[in-house]
Amino acid sequence: MVDTMALLLPFIRGPRMTRTPLPVAGVRADDEVLLDVPDARLGPALVAAAQGDHEPAAALLAATRAAGEWEYRDRYTARLAAFAHARPDWFWAWRAAAPHDPDGLVVDAQLRVDRAWQSPARAELLREVSPLVTAAAHGDDRDPVPWRIALDHARGAQAGPRYVEELWEAAMRRAPHHYGCHVAALRYLASSWHGSHRECLDFAERAAQDAPPDSLVQALPVRAAFAYLTDGGGPEVPRAALDEAADRAIGLSALLPAADPWPAETRNLLTYVLVRLDRVADALEQVRLTGPYATSFPWDRFCDDPLGHCLRVREELRAPSGRPITGHPGRNPSGDH
């Protein structure tokens, strides 16, 4: 029998804690918590890729494109690109076998933009990647994911607002409530309006108001709140606006399945924000709903051990007294571009 856990990206179990926190009903023990677990569709594709077989990954992305599952397609693209960065042989075999495959093109564009962001020669490398991003955008005219990649690319290349607005309009024509494109736009606004967190929060709130109740865009305001809470600068944002952002995300979380990998990142992010707002009971409820699924974001913004940091916050939340450990800004958030 194939040991799938050994073949996938390493999932690190939590370390043994130095003291035992109080048990909380419905909250998983720390030694059950895993980091960045793929869902039931992505997992087999990663296992096959680890064995050198690209076909399940290609089939998975083709299925998301055929069904218009753009949120899933976006997340799967990012995870497959990260896996290709670490173990590339299966991916280059896919590209060689089908060089014009729109699914392979979008993963390739993601992979190369990610690499460019991590390089000191970022601007030059991003210029070189431009034709590939354009090719991915032409792969399937319905697909918003290449346009999300193009927005990230434009921010790294320090493109002007008129060009970014054209990209944004193209993305919205394809999927007006696509979360990934909204996050990319929020990042661009944050970099262009550094310190203007209220404007970013207003943009996020307007987008959420226009989106369906179960859309991931409902979590955009709490993402803007996270940026404000971790930036350490800029004009003050009213506490009520931060609470409203958290409440909106809590409403979204209530509509999503509990103990499921898909909403885990949203709930990890929301937990961090709730802890920073001293809303301990609400944060504990999100920990319960998250189940055993920790995600690198947001915890990797504070240290090189995101799982360890997440577990420390969970421990302090369950402690009879003391303030939860949330970390402080200062680490370069390059992983989030």
Side-chain angles (χ1 to χ4, degrees), residues 14 16-17 22 79 90 100 105 109 112 122 127 163 168 181 184 187 198-199 215 318 328 331:
R16 187 180 300 275
M17 309 309 289
L22 295 177
R79 290 294 298 272
W90 66 275
H100 304 296
L105 281 169
R112 293 178 190 266
R122 176 190 301 172
R127 283 194 297 271
Y163 176 66
W168 171 250
C181 288
R187 290 171 178 161
R198 187 55 202 254
E199 287 86 347
S215 168
R318 290 175 291 158
H328 301 283
R331 187 170 186 268

Side-chain angles (χ1 to χ4, degrees), residues 9-260:
L9 294 171
F11 302 140
I12 308 171
R13 290 192 175 272
R16 187 180 300 275
M17 309 309 289
T18 56
R19 64 189 178 88
T20 303
L22 295 177
V24 176
V27 174
R28 299 296 184 96
D30 290 333
D31 62 1
E32 297 178 9
V33 178
L34 302 175
L35 183 69
D36 295 335
V37 175
D39 66 19
R41 297 170 71 187
L42 179 61
L46 291 175
V47 170
Q51 297 172 320
D53 182 5
H54 67 269
E55 291 187 1
L60 174 61
L61 285 188
T64 62
R65 183 162 49 87
E69 296 176 309
W70 306 127
E71 302 294 1
Y72 283 97
R73 180 175 178 80
D74 200 358
R75 188 173 298 184
Y76 294 159
T77 293
R79 290 294 298 272
L80 290 168
F83 196 79
H85 179 77
R87 303 183 65 166
D89 290 350
W90 66 275
F91 181 65
W92 299 131
W94 178 8
R95 296 291 288 125
H100 304 296
D101 179 8
D103 307 307
L105 281 169
V106 74
V107 176
D108 203 353
Q110 179 73 68
L111 172 61
R112 293 178 190 266
V113 168
D114 288 346
R115 284 179 173 171
W117 269 95
Q118 297 165 8
S119 171
R122 176 190 301 172
E124 180 181 352
L125 290 175
L126 285 172
R127 283 194 297 271
E128 294 175 359
V129 171
S130 292
L132 180 58
V133 175
T134 300
H138 291 159
D140 187 322
D141 191 55
R142 303 172 303 144
D143 186 3
V145 177
W147 297 93
R148 189 269 302 159
I149 297 171
L151 285 165
D152 285 336
H153 177 276
R155 178 165 52 90
Q158 298 183 332
R162 180 173 298 181
Y163 176 66
V164 172
E165 184 176 352
E166 292 175 359
L167 296 178
W168 171 250
E169 290 175 353
M172 292 300 96
R173 284 197 299 271
R174 288 158 175 81
H177 306 303
H178 182 245
Y179 179 63
C181 288
H182 280 81
V183 170
L186 185 65
R187 290 171 178 161
Y188 179 83
L189 294 177
S191 64
S192 299
W193 302 343
H194 183 68
S196 300
H197 290 289
R198 187 55 202 254
E199 287 86 347
C200 290
L201 194 59
D202 288 345
F203 164 79
E205 183 64 30
R206 288 194 301 270
Q209 288 174 358
D210 291 340
D214 60 349
S215 168
L216 290 179
V217 175
Q218 298 298 334
L220 197 67
V222 87
R223 186 128 191 176
F226 170 81
Y228 168 71
L229 291 169
T230 57
D231 184 49
E236 183 175 356
V237 172
R239 167 63 189 252
L242 301 176
D243 280 321
E244 288 173 8
D247 289 339
R248 185 178 285 279
I250 288 173
L252 170 65
S253 178
L255 299 177
L256 301 175
D260 186 272

Side-chain angles (χ1 to χ4, degrees), residues 264-326:
E265 183 177 282
T266 296
R267 287 179 174 139
N268 275 254
L269 172 63
L270 176 56
T271 297
Y272 174 88
V273 171
L274 289 168
V275 166
R276 286 291 304 269
L277 296 177
D278 292 320
R279 294 174 57 171
V280 174
D282 288 334
L284 270 173
E285 174 61 10
Q286 293 308 310
V287 170
R288 184 189 70 79
L289 290 172
T290 303
Y293 303 114
T295 55
S296 291
F297 180 77
W299 314 111
D300 61 358
R301 299 303 173 267
F302 315 111
C303 69
D304 292 325
D305 179 17
L307 180 57
H309 192 88
C310 176
L311 292 179
R312 287 193 294 275
V313 171
R314 289 165 55 96
E315 179 189 7
E316 293 299 324
L317 280 170
R318 290 175 291 158
S321 62
R323 184 183 179 86
I325 304 170
T326 58

